[in-house]
Amino acid sequence: MTDAAALVEAAKKALADAEAALAAEQAAPAQEAPEAPAPSASPARGAHAGPLSPAQVDVIRAGYTFDAPALEMGALVNGDPLADVPVRIPLAMVNRHGLVAGATGTGKTKTLQVLAEQLSAAGVPVFAADIKGDLSGIASEGTSNPKLLDRTASIGQHWAAAASPTEYFTLGGLGTGIPIRATVSSFGPLLLSKVLGLNETQESSLGLVFHYADRAGLPLVDLSDLRAVLKWLTSEDGKPELKDLGGLSSATAGVILRELIGFSDQGADVFFGEPEIDTSLFLRTTADGKGIVSLLEIPGVQDKPAVFSTFLMWLLADLFNDLPEVGDIDKPKLVFFFDEAHLLFNGASDDFIASITQTVRLIRSKGVGIFFVTQTPKDVPSEVLAQIGSRVQHQLRAHTPDDAKALRATVSTYPTSGYDLKEVLTTLATGEAIITVMNEKGAPSPVAWTRLRAPQGSMSPTPIETMQATVSSSPLLAQFGTPVDRESAREMLAVKMNAAAAAIAQVEAQKSAAQQAKEAAKAQADYDRAVRDMATSSAPKTKPRTTTRTTTRPRADDNPIGDILGSRAGQTVVREVLRGIFSTLKRR
């Protein structure tokens, strides 16, 4: 090998060594990478660990930051709950109404309890219907456990057991509580028509009956009073009373009476009567300034929920009629939770929905907030939904075509957000909800996936013995516990109908006496005529005169009339005459 060839080989070897060294140097960082510290499993504040970006999380944080007092709902969920991003409702905006919706078992009742507890602590009275009987735990302190404390700590809730001052009520005394009663007059024809399922014509006729009763001064206290007025107005004596008002057909009255019988059979008779409840009692606070929670306990009659939903609407309407205007205030005077609200609107007439819409729209200016609790927003008419400022939407299910349709309708009502709401709403865990509220300026807050706070009261019902002791010690029991039966339309009409019946009986008696006298006179005349006819027919015939006068003196014992009356024919005539005189044998 020449020197030149050796140099070429050496150069090739040096180049190969250099390339190998470079390759080894480039491979070294890749081998060391697994030894680098792993990133933290817990995302930093606002980190993009869920469907929202850090910027979107900051928008939600700012959207729920209020200077004024607020109800704490929970913490934002973005993969994990973010304890430093609380979701809240301004206390002053609660009278702009709200909706708590979700499928059965998703946590609606506990959400209601969380809201009621905080309202009471803030000095706001609460009225709620406890249809399923599991809301009474608000009156008892809750019980701590590690799982509960872990959950509350993850959302920044400093949990402590607490009970809220509670008063128990029942409808008409069915159950444990102070009886709530109303008079039929105050209940009104519109609500009664709704609960009886009357059509528009029948509803109009029932309104006419109420108008007549008011005009005639007939108090409609209970259902028996209403039935008495209906029967009176369809009687011969009562029909003229409505002549100038258009009248009441017997067929329509019959339908209403039949429905009232069915209504009574459901036990509704006990709801109507006196003493009538004073709805201002629901606005009370305790000596230390806490709002009293008024619970309407109706677990024993949950198979007739439509009746009780309508009765709750009466309570709300009565509050609307009695409360003064207060305008915008720092906190509501009362918050009314309307559980099973979908039952209120099932089969409702346009007039009925219009009345509810007007009540919801105007009652906020009287300091009353209403929360409708139901399964889907679709259960509530759009006219009512338009008045709602805060929405708490728990999980929805889409197992059927109707469910899927309801889900699409719900999603379409939310503002634009960073969520795929169609997916999120079907995957929410129990105790989580999609929330949007009305902020202090009246604008909607950002849509927030929220893990809700836990109630501080018991999640189990309060023992029945404790409830009974609370009712027994209430000063309201002496005032409203015993029903009062005063004179009302039924008794007044009974007097009037008895007087009318007595007058009719007197007229009939006079007619009967006159008829009997007429028949007696006719019988006497017939008798006199018969006697004359017999006397004429029995007179002796005159014999022709003869030139020879022969005078025959009758015997002293001759009696032609007696002979005739004693005969068979004479006895028949006398018997027929006597039958007519004494009416003993007469048939016509």
Side-chain angles (χ1 to χ4, degrees):
M1 180 180 294
T2 61
D3 292 339
L7 290 173
V8 171
E9 289 296 328
K12 288 182 177 180
K13 185 175 182 304
L15 179 61
D17 292 339
E19 289 177 348
L22 179 62
E25 183 179 354
Q26 291 175 342
Q31 295 173 355
E32 295 173 359
E35 300 176 5
S40 174
S42 301
R45 170 178 156 175
H48 190 185
L52 302 179
S53 67
Q56 290 172 321
V57 170
D58 288 338
V59 168
I60 292 176
R61 181 184 291 108
Y64 288 92
T65 301
F66 310 123
D67 295 329
L71 304 179
E72 301 291 340
M73 297 301 297
L76 179 70
V77 174
N78 195 33
D80 290 319
L82 305 179
D84 63 330
V85 188
V87 177
R88 315 159 77 209
I89 302 177
L91 187 58
M93 292 292 110
V94 174
N95 69 337
R96 301 299 179 91
H97 313 316
L99 174 73
V100 179
T104 301
T106 56
K108 297 192 300 295
T109 301
K110 300 311 171 190
T111 298
L112 193 160
Q113 186 171 342
V114 166
L115 289 169
E117 287 176 349
Q118 294 188 63
L119 287 166
S120 174
V124 178
V126 171
F127 182 93
D130 190 11
I131 291 181
K132 294 182 286 292
D134 52 2
L135 190 57
S136 63
I138 195 173
S140 304
E141 291 186 351
T143 303
S144 174
N145 61 70
K147 184 178 180 180
L148 172 67
L149 295 178
D150 287 344
R151 187 182 191 282
T152 55
S154 70
I155 61 175
Q157 178 185 0
H158 302 291
W159 188 88
S164 300
T166 305
E167 189 86 71
Y168 300 101
F169 294 89
T170 67
L171 289 181
L174 295 179
T176 304
I178 307 300
I180 290 181
R181 299 184 182 90
T183 64
V184 172
S185 292
S186 64
F187 201 76
L190 187 60
L191 284 173
L192 192 57
S193 296
K194 167 64 174 61
V195 79
L196 293 179
L198 304 182
N199 61 31
E200 291 184 4
T201 300
Q202 295 156 357
E203 180 182 312
S204 175
S205 297
L206 186 60
L208 181 64
V209 173
F210 273 73
H211 174 76
Y212 165 77
D214 291 339
R215 191 182 68 172
L218 297 173
L220 299 177
V221 175
D222 53 29
L223 293 179
S224 65
D225 292 319
L226 182 56
R227 289 193 292 265
V229 173
L230 283 165
K231 292 176 181 178
W232 166 254
L233 292 176
T234 52
S235 67
E236 292 300 323
D237 296 303
K239 283 181 180 179
E241 301 280 355
L242 291 182
K243 187 176 182 180
D244 60 334
L245 299 177
L248 175 67
S249 74
S250 298
T252 299
V255 171
I256 298 174
L257 283 169
R258 286 193 297 273
E259 294 300 331
L260 285 173
I261 292 172
F263 192 38
S264 298
D265 289 344
Q266 294 179 20
D269 274 324
V270 297
F271 308 151
F272 295 98
E274 291 180 323
E276 187 172 65
I277 194 69
D278 181 0
T279 51
S280 65
L281 294 171
F282 303 142
L283 278 68
R284 294 175 301 149
T285 57
T286 61
D288 58 355
K290 290 185 178 181
I292 293 179
V293 179
S294 299
L295 280 187
L296 181 62
E297 289 286 321
I298 47 178
V301 285
Q302 55 187 321
D303 55 328
K304 300 177 282 291
V307 174
F308 309 109
S309 293
T310 310
F311 205 91
L312 292 179
M313 193 62 214
W314 169 79
L315 293 175
L316 195 60
D318 192 69
L319 286 168
F320 174 75
N321 292 333
D322 292 346
L323 293 177
E325 294 280 343
V326 295
D328 293 327
I329 51 180
D330 294 336
K331 61 182 181 181
K333 297 177 66 175
L334 173 71
V335 176
F336 196 100
F337 288 94
F338 217 126
D339 201 4
E340 302 292 343
H342 62 284
L343 299 167
L344 178 66
F345 303 105
N346 285 347
S349 66
D350 292 341
D351 290 341
F352 185 76
I353 292 177
S355 298
I356 295 176
T357 304
Q358 182 181 22
T359 302
V360 171
R361 185 175 67 251
L362 299 179
I363 202 170
R364 74 170 186 83
S365 64
K366 299 192 175 188
V368 177
I370 306 170
F371 271 74
F372 294 97
V373 184
T374 187
Q375 295 190 1
T376 73
K378 195 177 178 182
D379 295 332
V380 181
S382 57
E383 298 91 336
V384 178
L385 279 178
Q387 310 298 322
I388 288 176
S390 300
R391 294 178 59 180
V392 181
Q393 179 65 63
H394 288 266
Q395 182 194 132
L396 288 175
R397 297 174 183 137
H399 301 321
T400 68
D402 288 341
D403 291 342
K405 184 178 179 180
L407 175 62
R408 289 193 298 271
T410 301
V411 170
S412 67
T413 62
Y414 277 92
T416 302
S417 69
Y419 301 109
D420 179 359
L421 286 178
K422 187 175 180 181
E423 178 181 355
V424 172
L425 285 174
T426 57
T427 57
L428 288 170
T430 300
E432 293 183 350
I434 294 295
I435 293 179
T436 179
V437 305
M438 188 174 287
N439 66 22
E440 295 167 302
K441 298 180 180 179
S445 66
V447 177
W449 180 349
T450 307
R451 183 163 295 174
L452 298 166
R453 292 167 65 93
Q456 294 176 280
S458 174
M459 295 192 190
S460 300
T462 295
I464 187 65
E465 297 81 7
T466 304
M467 294 171 58
Q468 290 172 342
T470 301
V471 174
S472 299
S473 62
S474 172
L476 300 180
L477 186 62
Q479 184 178 357
F480 298 101
T482 305
V484 176
D485 187 13
R486 67 180 176 94
E487 186 182 47
S488 55
R490 175 169 52 88
E491 291 82 6
M492 293 178 180
L493 288 176
V495 171
K496 185 181 291 189
M497 294 179 76
N498 290 338
I504 291 173
Q506 184 177 3
V507 171
E508 291 295 328
Q510 292 174 349
K511 289 182 178 179
S512 177
Q515 181 67 24
Q516 289 180 2
K518 183 178 179 180
E519 290 178 353
K522 183 177 181 299
Q524 184 64 44
D526 292 342
Y527 174 77
D528 293 341
R529 187 182 307 111
V531 170
R532 288 194 302 270
D533 291 345
M534 285 188 294
T536 303
S537 62
S538 62
K541 294 181 180 181
T542 304
K543 295 181 179 181
R545 291 189 178 189
T546 60
T547 54
T548 304
R549 284 188 180 180
T550 303
T551 302
T552 305
R553 182 183 295 268
R555 294 191 304 269
D557 56 349
D558 287 344
N559 189 352
I561 295 176
D563 294 342
I564 294 173
L565 292 178
S567 67
R568 183 181 298 272
Q571 291 175 355
T572 300
V573 171
V574 171
R575 187 172 63 251
E576 291 300 326
V577 171
L578 291 177
R579 285 181 178 179
I581 292 173
F582 294 105
S583 300
T584 306
L585 303 178
K586 289 188 69 175
R587 301 296 181 184
R588 291 181 178 82

